[in-house]
PDB file of all heavy atoms in Angstrom:
ATOM      1  N   SER A  13     -13.989  -0.342  -4.966  1.00 79.00           N
ATOM      2  CA  SER A  13     -13.111   0.169  -4.025  1.00 79.00           C
ATOM      3  C   SER A  13     -13.525   0.040  -2.589  1.00 79.00           C
ATOM      4  O   SER A  13     -12.706  -0.279  -1.719  1.00 79.00           O
ATOM      5  CB  SER A  13     -12.919   1.727  -4.298  1.00 79.00           C
ATOM      6  OG  SER A  13     -12.340   1.890  -5.554  1.00 79.00           O
ATOM      7  N   VAL A  14     -14.744   0.287  -2.382  1.00 84.00           N
ATOM      8  CA  VAL A  14     -15.296   0.251  -0.998  1.00 84.00           C
ATOM      9  C   VAL A  14     -15.247  -1.297  -0.479  1.00 84.00           C
ATOM     10  O   VAL A  14     -14.903  -1.587   0.593  1.00 84.00           O
ATOM     11  CB  VAL A  14     -16.759   0.777  -0.893  1.00 84.00           C
ATOM     12  CG1 VAL A  14     -17.377   0.330   0.492  1.00 84.00           C
ATOM     13  CG2 VAL A  14     -16.732   2.331  -1.064  1.00 84.00           C
ATOM     14  N   SER A  15     -15.599  -2.169  -1.463  1.00 86.00           N
ATOM     15  CA  SER A  15     -15.702  -3.656  -1.109  1.00 86.00           C
ATOM     16  C   SER A  15     -14.150  -4.065  -0.828  1.00 86.00           C
ATOM     17  O   SER A  15     -13.949  -4.806   0.120  1.00 86.00           O
ATOM     18  CB  SER A  15     -16.170  -4.446  -2.378  1.00 86.00           C
ATOM     19  OG  SER A  15     -17.478  -4.099  -2.637  1.00 86.00           O
ATOM     20  N   SER A  16     -13.247  -3.567  -1.655  1.00 85.00           N
ATOM     21  CA  SER A  16     -11.867  -3.956  -1.391  1.00 85.00           C
ATOM     22  C   SER A  16     -11.322  -3.307  -0.106  1.00 85.00           C
ATOM     23  O   SER A  16     -10.651  -4.026   0.652  1.00 85.00           O
ATOM     24  CB  SER A  16     -10.943  -3.470  -2.531  1.00 85.00           C
ATOM     25  OG  SER A  16     -11.406  -4.072  -3.760  1.00 85.00           O
ATOM     26  N   LEU A  17     -11.746  -2.180   0.259  1.00 86.00           N
ATOM     27  CA  LEU A  17     -11.454  -1.523   1.522  1.00 86.00           C
ATOM     28  C   LEU A  17     -11.887  -2.287   2.693  1.00 86.00           C
ATOM     29  O   LEU A  17     -11.267  -2.487   3.749  1.00 86.00           O
ATOM     30  CB  LEU A  17     -11.770  -0.064   1.536  1.00 86.00           C
ATOM     31  CG  LEU A  17     -10.902   0.901   0.733  1.00 86.00           C
ATOM     32  CD1 LEU A  17     -11.556   2.270   0.647  1.00 86.00           C
ATOM     33  CD2 LEU A  17      -9.513   0.920   1.409  1.00 86.00           C
ATOM     34  N   ILE A  18     -13.230  -2.773   2.521  1.00 90.00           N
ATOM     35  CA  ILE A  18     -13.792  -3.504   3.592  1.00 90.00           C
ATOM     36  C   ILE A  18     -13.030  -4.901   3.710  1.00 90.00           C
ATOM     37  O   ILE A  18     -12.810  -5.265   4.966  1.00 90.00           O
ATOM     38  CB  ILE A  18     -15.406  -3.758   3.326  1.00 90.00           C
ATOM     39  CG1 ILE A  18     -16.074  -2.474   3.470  1.00 90.00           C
ATOM     40  CG2 ILE A  18     -15.872  -4.855   4.201  1.00 90.00           C
ATOM     41  CD1 ILE A  18     -17.553  -2.511   3.013  1.00 90.00           C
ATOM     42  N   VAL A  19     -12.637  -5.627   2.789  1.00 90.00           N
ATOM     43  CA  VAL A  19     -11.931  -6.774   2.909  1.00 90.00           C
ATOM     44  C   VAL A  19     -10.617  -6.525   3.557  1.00 90.00           C
ATOM     45  O   VAL A  19     -10.034  -7.229   4.288  1.00 90.00           O
ATOM     46  CB  VAL A  19     -11.674  -7.422   1.479  1.00 90.00           C
ATOM     47  CG1 VAL A  19     -10.636  -8.496   1.520  1.00 90.00           C
ATOM     48  CG2 VAL A  19     -13.009  -7.886   0.991  1.00 90.00           C
ATOM     49  N   ALA A  20      -9.899  -5.403   3.084  1.00 88.00           N
ATOM     50  CA  ALA A  20      -8.649  -4.947   3.730  1.00 88.00           C
ATOM     51  C   ALA A  20      -8.781  -4.606   5.196  1.00 88.00           C
ATOM     52  O   ALA A  20      -7.981  -5.103   6.040  1.00 88.00           O
ATOM     53  CB  ALA A  20      -8.018  -3.755   3.052  1.00 88.00           C
ATOM     54  N   ALA A  21      -9.892  -3.978   5.512  1.00 87.00           N
ATOM     55  CA  ALA A  21     -10.175  -3.697   6.961  1.00 87.00           C
ATOM     56  C   ALA A  21     -10.362  -4.868   7.794  1.00 87.00           C
ATOM     57  O   ALA A  21      -9.886  -5.009   8.837  1.00 87.00           O
ATOM     58  CB  ALA A  21     -11.367  -2.757   7.120  1.00 87.00           C
ATOM     59  N   LEU A  22     -11.070  -5.750   7.236  1.00 92.00           N
ATOM     60  CA  LEU A  22     -11.329  -7.118   7.909  1.00 92.00           C
ATOM     61  C   LEU A  22     -10.114  -7.820   8.216  1.00 92.00           C
ATOM     62  O   LEU A  22      -9.767  -8.439   9.228  1.00 92.00           O
ATOM     63  CB  LEU A  22     -12.316  -7.969   7.151  1.00 92.00           C
ATOM     64  CG  LEU A  22     -13.780  -7.545   7.238  1.00 92.00           C
ATOM     65  CD1 LEU A  22     -14.629  -8.308   6.349  1.00 92.00           C
ATOM     66  CD2 LEU A  22     -14.304  -7.434   8.708  1.00 92.00           C
ATOM     67  N   LEU A  23      -9.141  -7.921   7.112  1.00 92.00           N
ATOM     68  CA  LEU A  23      -7.937  -8.583   7.223  1.00 92.00           C
ATOM     69  C   LEU A  23      -6.987  -7.855   8.277  1.00 92.00           C
ATOM     70  O   LEU A  23      -6.325  -8.596   9.117  1.00 92.00           O
ATOM     71  CB  LEU A  23      -7.156  -8.684   5.896  1.00 92.00           C
ATOM     72  CG  LEU A  23      -7.717  -9.682   4.861  1.00 92.00           C
ATOM     73  CD1 LEU A  23      -7.024  -9.554   3.500  1.00 92.00           C
ATOM     74  CD2 LEU A  23      -7.665 -11.058   5.506  1.00 92.00           C
ATOM     75  N   VAL A  24      -6.902  -6.596   8.193  1.00 87.00           N
ATOM     76  CA  VAL A  24      -6.188  -5.815   9.269  1.00 87.00           C
ATOM     77  C   VAL A  24      -6.727  -6.079  10.638  1.00 87.00           C
ATOM     78  O   VAL A  24      -5.903  -6.350  11.544  1.00 87.00           O
ATOM     79  CB  VAL A  24      -6.247  -4.276   8.864  1.00 87.00           C
ATOM     80  CG1 VAL A  24      -5.605  -3.459  10.082  1.00 87.00           C
ATOM     81  CG2 VAL A  24      -5.441  -4.030   7.679  1.00 87.00           C
ATOM     82  N   TYR A  25      -8.018  -6.035  10.847  1.00 88.00           N
ATOM     83  CA  TYR A  25      -8.602  -6.267  12.141  1.00 88.00           C
ATOM     84  C   TYR A  25      -8.271  -7.737  12.625  1.00 88.00           C
ATOM     85  O   TYR A  25      -7.791  -7.857  13.792  1.00 88.00           O
ATOM     86  CB  TYR A  25     -10.065  -6.142  12.106  1.00 88.00           C
ATOM     87  CG  TYR A  25     -10.804  -6.348  13.438  1.00 88.00           C
ATOM     88  CD1 TYR A  25     -10.611  -5.397  14.418  1.00 88.00           C
ATOM     89  CD2 TYR A  25     -11.587  -7.462  13.689  1.00 88.00           C
ATOM     90  CE1 TYR A  25     -11.290  -5.532  15.723  1.00 88.00           C
ATOM     91  CE2 TYR A  25     -12.266  -7.612  14.846  1.00 88.00           C
ATOM     92  CZ  TYR A  25     -12.078  -6.700  15.907  1.00 88.00           C
ATOM     93  OH  TYR A  25     -12.695  -6.884  17.040  1.00 88.00           O
ATOM     94  N   LEU A  26      -8.368  -8.673  11.783  1.00 92.00           N
ATOM     95  CA  LEU A  26      -8.053 -10.081  12.101  1.00 92.00           C
ATOM     96  C   LEU A  26      -6.552 -10.136  12.471  1.00 92.00           C
ATOM     97  O   LEU A  26      -6.187 -10.892  13.343  1.00 92.00           O
ATOM     98  CB  LEU A  26      -8.422 -11.049  11.070  1.00 92.00           C
ATOM     99  CG  LEU A  26      -9.889 -11.316  10.800  1.00 92.00           C
ATOM    100  CD1 LEU A  26     -10.188 -12.202   9.543  1.00 92.00           C
ATOM    101  CD2 LEU A  26     -10.571 -11.884  12.138  1.00 92.00           C
ATOM    102  N   SER A  27      -5.708  -9.488  11.700  1.00 88.00           N
ATOM    103  CA  SER A  27      -4.329  -9.500  11.970  1.00 88.00           C
ATOM    104  C   SER A  27      -4.009  -8.899  13.386  1.00 88.00           C
ATOM    105  O   SER A  27      -3.206  -9.423  14.156  1.00 88.00           O
ATOM    106  CB  SER A  27      -3.501  -8.714  10.929  1.00 88.00           C
ATOM    107  OG  SER A  27      -3.807  -9.249   9.607  1.00 88.00           O
ATOM    108  N   PHE A  28      -4.701  -7.746  13.646  1.00 84.00           N
ATOM    109  CA  PHE A  28      -4.403  -7.174  14.958  1.00 84.00           C
ATOM    110  C   PHE A  28      -4.847  -8.104  16.020  1.00 84.00           C
ATOM    111  O   PHE A  28      -4.118  -8.190  17.030  1.00 84.00           O
ATOM    112  CB  PHE A  28      -5.162  -5.837  15.068  1.00 84.00           C
ATOM    113  CG  PHE A  28      -4.726  -4.723  14.185  1.00 84.00           C
ATOM    114  CD1 PHE A  28      -5.499  -3.573  14.029  1.00 84.00           C
ATOM    115  CD2 PHE A  28      -3.452  -4.782  13.662  1.00 84.00           C
ATOM    116  CE1 PHE A  28      -4.980  -2.572  13.273  1.00 84.00           C
ATOM    117  CE2 PHE A  28      -2.890  -3.730  12.939  1.00 84.00           C
ATOM    118  CZ  PHE A  28      -3.663  -2.638  12.695  1.00 84.00           C
ATOM    119  N   LEU A  29      -5.878  -8.822  15.892  1.00 88.00           N
ATOM    120  CA  LEU A  29      -6.438  -9.812  16.875  1.00 88.00           C
ATOM    121  C   LEU A  29      -5.418 -10.997  17.081  1.00 88.00           C
ATOM    122  O   LEU A  29      -5.109 -11.307  18.265  1.00 88.00           O
ATOM    123  CB  LEU A  29      -7.864 -10.253  16.587  1.00 88.00           C
ATOM    124  CG  LEU A  29      -8.971  -9.316  16.616  1.00 88.00           C
ATOM    125  CD1 LEU A  29     -10.257  -9.978  16.161  1.00 88.00           C
ATOM    126  CD2 LEU A  29      -9.155  -8.820  18.031  1.00 88.00           C
ATOM    127  N   VAL A  30      -5.010 -11.419  15.914  1.00 91.00           N
ATOM    128  CA  VAL A  30      -4.020 -12.669  16.044  1.00 91.00           C
ATOM    129  C   VAL A  30      -2.679 -12.142  16.624  1.00 91.00           C
ATOM    130  O   VAL A  30      -2.127 -12.912  17.512  1.00 91.00           O
ATOM    131  CB  VAL A  30      -3.845 -13.211  14.621  1.00 91.00           C
ATOM    132  CG1 VAL A  30      -2.691 -14.235  14.661  1.00 91.00           C
ATOM    133  CG2 VAL A  30      -5.206 -13.944  14.163  1.00 91.00           C
ATOM    134  N   LEU A  31      -2.190 -11.009  16.140  1.00 86.00           N
ATOM    135  CA  LEU A  31      -0.983 -10.548  16.669  1.00 86.00           C
ATOM    136  C   LEU A  31      -1.008 -10.128  18.198  1.00 86.00           C
ATOM    137  O   LEU A  31      -0.127 -10.242  18.884  1.00 86.00           O
ATOM    138  CB  LEU A  31      -0.421  -9.423  15.868  1.00 86.00           C
ATOM    139  CG  LEU A  31       0.016  -9.750  14.497  1.00 86.00           C
ATOM    140  CD1 LEU A  31       0.309  -8.508  13.629  1.00 86.00           C
ATOM    141  CD2 LEU A  31       1.226 -10.697  14.616  1.00 86.00           C
ATOM    142  N   GLY A  32      -2.192  -9.646  18.627  1.00 83.00           N
ATOM    143  CA  GLY A  32      -2.449  -9.353  19.947  1.00 83.00           C
ATOM    144  C   GLY A  32      -2.242 -10.528  20.840  1.00 83.00           C
ATOM    145  O   GLY A  32      -1.630 -10.394  21.927  1.00 83.00           O
ATOM    146  N   GLU A  33      -2.861 -11.598  20.322  1.00 83.00           N
ATOM    147  CA  GLU A  33      -2.741 -12.861  21.184  1.00 83.00           C
ATOM    148  C   GLU A  33      -1.381 -13.538  21.080  1.00 83.00           C
ATOM    149  O   GLU A  33      -0.887 -14.014  21.914  1.00 83.00           O
ATOM    150  CB  GLU A  33      -3.813 -13.885  20.636  1.00 83.00           C
ATOM    151  CG  GLU A  33      -5.246 -13.590  21.011  1.00 83.00           C
ATOM    152  CD  GLU A  33      -5.448 -13.573  22.656  1.00 83.00           C
ATOM    153  OE1 GLU A  33      -5.012 -14.528  23.216  1.00 83.00           O
ATOM    154  OE2 GLU A  33      -6.095 -12.661  23.126  1.00 83.00           O
ATOM    155  N   ALA A  34      -0.821 -13.491  19.869  1.00 85.00           N
ATOM    156  CA  ALA A  34       0.477 -14.145  19.645  1.00 85.00           C
ATOM    157  C   ALA A  34       1.648 -13.467  20.237  1.00 85.00           C
ATOM    158  O   ALA A  34       2.508 -14.116  20.883  1.00 85.00           O
ATOM    159  CB  ALA A  34       0.650 -14.358  18.137  1.00 85.00           C
ATOM    160  N   ILE A  35       1.764 -12.071  19.963  1.00 84.00           N
ATOM    161  CA  ILE A  35       2.983 -11.484  20.457  1.00 84.00           C
ATOM    162  C   ILE A  35       2.678 -10.414  21.399  1.00 84.00           C
ATOM    163  O   ILE A  35       3.583  -9.545  21.722  1.00 84.00           O
ATOM    164  CB  ILE A  35       3.795 -10.949  19.216  1.00 84.00           C
ATOM    165  CG1 ILE A  35       3.010  -9.967  18.390  1.00 84.00           C
ATOM    166  CG2 ILE A  35       4.277 -12.162  18.367  1.00 84.00           C
ATOM    167  CD1 ILE A  35       3.846  -9.232  17.363  1.00 84.00           C
ATOM    168  N   GLY A  36       1.434 -10.171  21.760  1.00 77.00           N
ATOM    169  CA  GLY A  36       1.069  -9.000  22.658  1.00 77.00           C
ATOM    170  C   GLY A  36       1.036  -7.680  22.002  1.00 77.00           C
ATOM    171  O   GLY A  36       1.187  -6.639  22.637  1.00 77.00           O
ATOM    172  N   PHE A  37       0.724  -7.673  20.697  1.00 76.00           N
ATOM    173  CA  PHE A  37       0.650  -6.478  19.882  1.00 76.00           C
ATOM    174  C   PHE A  37      -0.532  -5.702  20.410  1.00 76.00           C
ATOM    175  O   PHE A  37      -1.648  -6.202  20.637  1.00 76.00           O
ATOM    176  CB  PHE A  37       0.326  -6.709  18.527  1.00 76.00           C
ATOM    177  CG  PHE A  37       0.064  -5.590  17.574  1.00 76.00           C
ATOM    178  CD1 PHE A  37       1.110  -4.756  17.203  1.00 76.00           C
ATOM    179  CD2 PHE A  37      -1.228  -5.254  17.189  1.00 76.00           C
ATOM    180  CE1 PHE A  37       0.842  -3.716  16.359  1.00 76.00           C
ATOM    181  CE2 PHE A  37      -1.501  -4.187  16.360  1.00 76.00           C
ATOM    182  CZ  PHE A  37      -0.430  -3.392  16.005  1.00 76.00           C
ATOM    183  N   THR A  38      -0.312  -4.401  20.794  1.00 77.00           N
ATOM    184  CA  THR A  38      -1.391  -3.491  21.114  1.00 77.00           C
ATOM    185  C   THR A  38      -1.357  -2.294  20.224  1.00 77.00           C
ATOM    186  O   THR A  38      -0.266  -1.773  19.734  1.00 77.00           O
ATOM    187  CB  THR A  38      -1.211  -2.942  22.521  1.00 77.00           C
ATOM    188  OG1 THR A  38       0.027  -2.269  22.587  1.00 77.00           O
ATOM    189  CG2 THR A  38      -1.281  -4.089  23.529  1.00 77.00           C
ATOM    190  N   LEU A  39      -2.540  -1.738  19.834  1.00 79.00           N
ATOM    191  CA  LEU A  39      -2.753  -0.708  18.831  1.00 79.00           C
ATOM    192  C   LEU A  39      -2.593   0.623  19.696  1.00 79.00           C
ATOM    193  O   LEU A  39      -3.439   0.931  20.531  1.00 79.00           O
ATOM    194  CB  LEU A  39      -4.023  -0.846  18.197  1.00 79.00           C
ATOM    195  CG  LEU A  39      -4.158   0.041  16.988  1.00 79.00           C
ATOM    196  CD1 LEU A  39      -3.122  -0.156  15.984  1.00 79.00           C
ATOM    197  CD2 LEU A  39      -5.549  -0.155  16.312  1.00 79.00           C
ATOM    198  N   THR A  40      -1.536   1.405  19.322  1.00 81.00           N
ATOM    199  CA  THR A  40      -1.358   2.718  19.960  1.00 81.00           C
ATOM    200  C   THR A  40      -1.795   3.795  19.052  1.00 81.00           C
ATOM    201  O   THR A  40      -2.221   3.437  17.793  1.00 81.00           O
ATOM    202  CB  THR A  40       0.097   2.839  20.339  1.00 81.00           C
ATOM    203  OG1 THR A  40       0.875   2.885  19.076  1.00 81.00           O
ATOM    204  CG2 THR A  40       0.722   1.845  21.221  1.00 81.00           C
ATOM    205  N   LEU A  41      -1.750   4.999  19.459  1.00 85.00           N
ATOM    206  CA  LEU A  41      -2.072   6.187  18.608  1.00 85.00           C
ATOM    207  C   LEU A  41      -1.217   6.168  17.375  1.00 85.00           C
ATOM    208  O   LEU A  41      -1.686   6.468  16.216  1.00 85.00           O
ATOM    209  CB  LEU A  41      -2.069   7.490  19.396  1.00 85.00           C
ATOM    210  CG  LEU A  41      -2.568   8.701  18.657  1.00 85.00           C
ATOM    211  CD1 LEU A  41      -3.981   8.507  18.315  1.00 85.00           C
ATOM    212  CD2 LEU A  41      -2.390   9.931  19.621  1.00 85.00           C
ATOM    213  N   ALA A  42       0.085   5.949  17.524  1.00 84.00           N
ATOM    214  CA  ALA A  42       1.007   5.854  16.361  1.00 84.00           C
ATOM    215  C   ALA A  42       0.710   4.839  15.391  1.00 84.00           C
ATOM    216  O   ALA A  42       0.694   4.959  14.309  1.00 84.00           O
ATOM    217  CB  ALA A  42       2.451   5.660  16.964  1.00 84.00           C
ATOM    218  N   GLY A  43       0.156   3.615  15.991  1.00 82.00           N
ATOM    219  CA  GLY A  43      -0.258   2.546  15.135  1.00 82.00           C
ATOM    220  C   GLY A  43      -1.385   2.842  14.345  1.00 82.00           C
ATOM    221  O   GLY A  43      -1.455   2.532  13.160  1.00 82.00           O
ATOM    222  N   ILE A  44      -2.345   3.532  14.939  1.00 85.00           N
ATOM    223  CA  ILE A  44      -3.566   4.042  14.264  1.00 85.00           C
ATOM    224  C   ILE A  44      -3.174   4.954  13.201  1.00 85.00           C
ATOM    225  O   ILE A  44      -3.790   4.916  12.033  1.00 85.00           O
ATOM    226  CB  ILE A  44      -4.534   4.788  15.237  1.00 85.00           C
ATOM    227  CG1 ILE A  44      -5.074   3.737  16.216  1.00 85.00           C
ATOM    228  CG2 ILE A  44      -5.721   5.422  14.509  1.00 85.00           C
ATOM    229  CD1 ILE A  44      -5.797   4.255  17.450  1.00 85.00           C
ATOM    230  N   ALA A  45      -2.246   5.768  13.334  1.00 85.00           N
ATOM    231  CA  ALA A  45      -1.728   6.715  12.276  1.00 85.00           C
ATOM    232  C   ALA A  45      -1.022   5.957  11.190  1.00 85.00           C
ATOM    233  O   ALA A  45      -1.314   6.240   9.995  1.00 85.00           O
ATOM    234  CB  ALA A  45      -0.660   7.641  12.849  1.00 85.00           C
ATOM    235  N   GLY A  46      -0.375   4.956  11.519  1.00 82.00           N
ATOM    236  CA  GLY A  46       0.186   3.968  10.406  1.00 82.00           C
ATOM    237  C   GLY A  46      -0.894   3.327   9.595  1.00 82.00           C
ATOM    238  O   GLY A  46      -0.829   3.138   8.359  1.00 82.00           O
ATOM    239  N   ALA A  47      -2.014   2.883  10.319  1.00 84.00           N
ATOM    240  CA  ALA A  47      -3.178   2.234   9.653  1.00 84.00           C
ATOM    241  C   ALA A  47      -3.840   3.295   8.711  1.00 84.00           C
ATOM    242  O   ALA A  47      -4.247   2.935   7.538  1.00 84.00           O
ATOM    243  CB  ALA A  47      -4.117   1.733  10.527  1.00 84.00           C
ATOM    244  N   ILE A  48      -3.994   4.560   9.170  1.00 86.00           N
ATOM    245  CA  ILE A  48      -4.590   5.505   8.273  1.00 86.00           C
ATOM    246  C   ILE A  48      -3.747   5.948   7.157  1.00 86.00           C
ATOM    247  O   ILE A  48      -4.334   6.049   6.061  1.00 86.00           O
ATOM    248  CB  ILE A  48      -4.835   6.815   9.191  1.00 86.00           C
ATOM    249  CG1 ILE A  48      -5.890   6.543  10.263  1.00 86.00           C
ATOM    250  CG2 ILE A  48      -5.231   8.032   8.397  1.00 86.00           C
ATOM    251  CD1 ILE A  48      -6.137   7.598  11.312  1.00 86.00           C
ATOM    252  N   VAL A  49      -2.457   5.995   7.199  1.00 84.00           N
ATOM    253  CA  VAL A  49      -1.617   6.186   6.060  1.00 84.00           C
ATOM    254  C   VAL A  49      -1.781   5.123   5.145  1.00 84.00           C
ATOM    255  O   VAL A  49      -1.901   5.251   3.909  1.00 84.00           O
ATOM    256  CB  VAL A  49      -0.109   6.366   6.546  1.00 84.00           C
ATOM    257  CG1 VAL A  49       0.847   6.349   5.386  1.00 84.00           C
ATOM    258  CG2 VAL A  49       0.074   7.593   7.263  1.00 84.00           C
ATOM    259  N   ALA A  50      -1.783   3.828   5.625  1.00 82.00           N
ATOM    260  CA  ALA A  50      -1.954   2.627   4.672  1.00 82.00           C
ATOM    261  C   ALA A  50      -3.336   2.638   4.024  1.00 82.00           C
ATOM    262  O   ALA A  50      -3.368   2.038   2.955  1.00 82.00           O
ATOM    263  CB  ALA A  50      -1.778   1.447   5.574  1.00 82.00           C
ATOM    264  N   ILE A  51      -4.395   3.194   4.594  1.00 83.00           N
ATOM    265  CA  ILE A  51      -5.608   3.329   3.908  1.00 83.00           C
ATOM    266  C   ILE A  51      -5.470   4.141   2.570  1.00 83.00           C
ATOM    267  O   ILE A  51      -5.930   3.766   1.567  1.00 83.00           O
ATOM    268  CB  ILE A  51      -6.702   3.937   4.798  1.00 83.00           C
ATOM    269  CG1 ILE A  51      -7.073   3.004   5.927  1.00 83.00           C
ATOM    270  CG2 ILE A  51      -7.876   4.284   3.910  1.00 83.00           C
ATOM    271  CD1 ILE A  51      -7.992   3.628   6.924  1.00 83.00           C
ATOM    272  N   GLY A  52      -4.586   5.112   2.720  1.00 84.00           N
ATOM    273  CA  GLY A  52      -4.372   5.963   1.560  1.00 84.00           C
ATOM    274  C   GLY A  52      -3.447   5.253   0.550  1.00 84.00           C
ATOM    275  O   GLY A  52      -3.740   5.256  -0.732  1.00 84.00           O
ATOM    276  N   VAL A  53      -2.543   4.389   1.003  1.00 83.00           N
ATOM    277  CA  VAL A  53      -1.715   3.528   0.039  1.00 83.00           C
ATOM    278  C   VAL A  53      -2.687   2.531  -0.628  1.00 83.00           C
ATOM    279  O   VAL A  53      -2.588   2.269  -1.780  1.00 83.00           O
ATOM    280  CB  VAL A  53      -0.605   2.857   0.793  1.00 83.00           C
ATOM    281  CG1 VAL A  53      -0.007   1.793   0.060  1.00 83.00           C
ATOM    282  CG2 VAL A  53       0.339   3.890   1.393  1.00 83.00           C
ATOM    283  N   THR A  54      -3.580   1.878   0.137  1.00 84.00           N
ATOM    284  CA  THR A  54      -4.508   1.011  -0.523  1.00 84.00           C
ATOM    285  C   THR A  54      -5.445   1.658  -1.511  1.00 84.00           C
ATOM    286  O   THR A  54      -5.587   1.060  -2.546  1.00 84.00           O
ATOM    287  CB  THR A  54      -5.314   0.276   0.709  1.00 84.00           C
ATOM    288  OG1 THR A  54      -4.546  -0.279   1.628  1.00 84.00           O
ATOM    289  CG2 THR A  54      -6.301  -0.737   0.047  1.00 84.00           C
ATOM    290  N   ALA A  55      -5.961   2.818  -1.189  1.00 84.00           N
ATOM    291  CA  ALA A  55      -6.841   3.508  -2.135  1.00 84.00           C
ATOM    292  C   ALA A  55      -6.043   3.902  -3.342  1.00 84.00           C
ATOM    293  O   ALA A  55      -6.624   3.780  -4.494  1.00 84.00           O
ATOM    294  CB  ALA A  55      -7.425   4.694  -1.468  1.00 84.00           C
ATOM    295  N   ASP A  56      -4.822   4.293  -3.245  1.00 85.00           N
ATOM    296  CA  ASP A  56      -3.955   4.624  -4.424  1.00 85.00           C
ATOM    297  C   ASP A  56      -3.861   3.372  -5.224  1.00 85.00           C
ATOM    298  O   ASP A  56      -3.771   3.496  -6.472  1.00 85.00           O
ATOM    299  CB  ASP A  56      -2.558   5.181  -3.932  1.00 85.00           C
ATOM    300  CG  ASP A  56      -2.610   6.544  -3.499  1.00 85.00           C
ATOM    301  OD1 ASP A  56      -3.690   7.222  -3.761  1.00 85.00           O
ATOM    302  OD2 ASP A  56      -1.660   7.066  -2.853  1.00 85.00           O
ATOM    303  N   SER A  57      -3.712   2.242  -4.750  1.00 86.00           N
ATOM    304  CA  SER A  57      -3.621   0.986  -5.510  1.00 86.00           C
ATOM    305  C   SER A  57      -4.739   0.805  -6.413  1.00 86.00           C
ATOM    306  O   SER A  57      -4.582   0.529  -7.635  1.00 86.00           O
ATOM    307  CB  SER A  57      -3.397  -0.179  -4.602  1.00 86.00           C
ATOM    308  OG  SER A  57      -2.218  -0.155  -3.928  1.00 86.00           O
TER     309      SER A  57
END
């Protein structure tokens, strides 16, 4: 589970970096909340 969460975190981080450059995506407090909720969804899987 921890290994899978680490892989997911790396993919999310890379996505944020790519989207930041491509479309100007910035991570806000609401975005952080969305990522935290998604951690729960991932762990449930």
Side-chain angles (χ1 to χ4, degrees):
S13 295
V14 170
S15 300
S16 297
L17 284 171
I18 289 170
V19 169
L22 290 172
L23 287 174
V24 167
Y25 181 70
L26 289 173
S27 298
F28 289 168
L29 291 177
V30 168
L31 291 172
E33 288 294 318
I35 63 171
F37 174 77
T38 57
L39 192 59
T40 63
L41 188 57
I44 293 170
I48 290 170
V49 169
I51 291 169
V53 171
T54 302
D56 282 346
S57 297

